[in-house]
Amino acid sequence: MMGVQLKVLIPEAEIQKKVHELAHQLAEDYANKHPLALCILKGGWIFFADLIRAIGISVECDFLSVSSYGTGTVSSEKIRLRSELSSCPTGRDVLIVDDIADTGYTLHELQRLLYAQGAQDVRICVLLDKPERRKVPVHLDYVGFTLPDRFVVGYGLDYGEQYRHLSYIAILEN
Ligand code: IMP
Ligand code: MG
């Protein structure tokens, strides 16, 4: 993209250190629980893959494709489920794993849906949180980094389907 520059906000080593801290905490909290870990696609995939491998306890994995953004940087209130769970959340300890809590619409709605489907406990783990952007309340159980209101890319997060492959988090500057 012309005229767009990336400024590193969180380097790879810092992300990896944080992922291992979160994984350590999760391993303690979910010991003997065999949770259902739910990766929210597409943004959550790299974080999920690193986190799950670092947890080191038995975890069932499932994937849900959700979109709220179109191709730009503006969130929408309505989330769209583009796939269904292949597992049944009824009676399960569910851990939602996503890239970022922004307006909160996605996580708020997913948590509601999972409880409506009979999940016993639904916790949320995000790598990034932008609390200033919140439109609906959502309790985040595990948070990697709290960020100011800036649009970020990398480590799964995109802008117009670009930059997901970066192993660091960057701010997009015009
Ligand atoms: P929500 O606004 O909290 O519902 O967030 C919806 C989704 O928007 C997140 O899961 C991300 O995939 C995406 N998103 C929010 N903020 C950013 C950002 O700064 N960069 C890239 N994607 C973002
Ligand atoms: Mg997302």
Side-chain angles (χ1 to χ4, degrees):
M1 274 178 220
M2 263 181 37
V4 172
Q5 283 199 348
L6 295 177
K7 193 174 136 214
V8 178
L9 183 67
I10 313 174
E12 179 176 6
E14 256 182 70
I15 297 176
Q16 292 303 328
K17 184 164 168 265
K18 187 67 78 175
V19 167
H20 282 80
E21 283 168 21
L22 288 169
H24 185 80
Q25 186 62 50
L26 288 164
E28 244 178 67
D29 295 357
Y30 284 99
N32 309 313
K33 283 194 172 159
H34 192 58
L36 174 61
L38 191 56
C39 173
I40 309 308
L41 300 171
K42 298 179 188 172
W45 67 293
I46 295 184
F47 177 43
F48 187 83
D50 282 350
L51 186 72
I52 294 306
R53 284 177 297 172
I55 290 179
I57 61 165
S58 162
V59 173
E60 189 179 330
C61 299
D62 204 349
F63 303 83
L64 196 57
S65 181
V66 179
S67 66
S68 72
Y69 276 54
T71 49
T73 60
V74 183
S75 190
S76 94
E77 289 182 31
K78 289 261 173 283
I79 70 164
R80 195 152 56 99
L81 294 186
R82 301 169 128 168
S83 65
E84 288 183 11
L85 282 182
S86 60
S87 51
C88 174
T90 308
R92 299 297 301 271
D93 290 311
V94 181
L95 177 68
I96 298 174
V97 179
D98 205 354
D99 49 1
I100 188 166
D102 186 36
T103 62
Y105 289 125
T106 306
L107 295 166
H108 175 89
E109 181 62 6
L110 283 176
Q111 197 170 35
R112 192 190 67 74
L113 283 171
L114 287 159
Y115 275 125
Q117 289 176 32
Q120 169 177 287
D121 181 56
V122 183
R123 294 191 205 172
I124 296 173
C125 176
V126 288
L127 180 68
L128 309 171
D129 181 21
K130 292 196 283 195
E132 288 168 38
R133 296 261 310 159
R134 205 73 87 247
K135 295 271 175 52
V136 287
V138 54
H139 176 74
L140 305 174
D141 300 277
Y142 306 93
V143 176
F145 302 93
T146 301
L147 303 184
D149 179 9
R150 299 295 300 271
F151 195 82
V152 292
V153 296
Y155 200 68
L157 294 110
D158 76 307
Y159 173 68
E161 291 303 327
Q162 292 207 65
Y163 311 114
R164 291 192 197 276
H165 65 286
L166 303 174
S167 44
Y168 54 88
I169 302 280
I171 294 178
L172 210 55
E173 292 191 328
N174 289 309

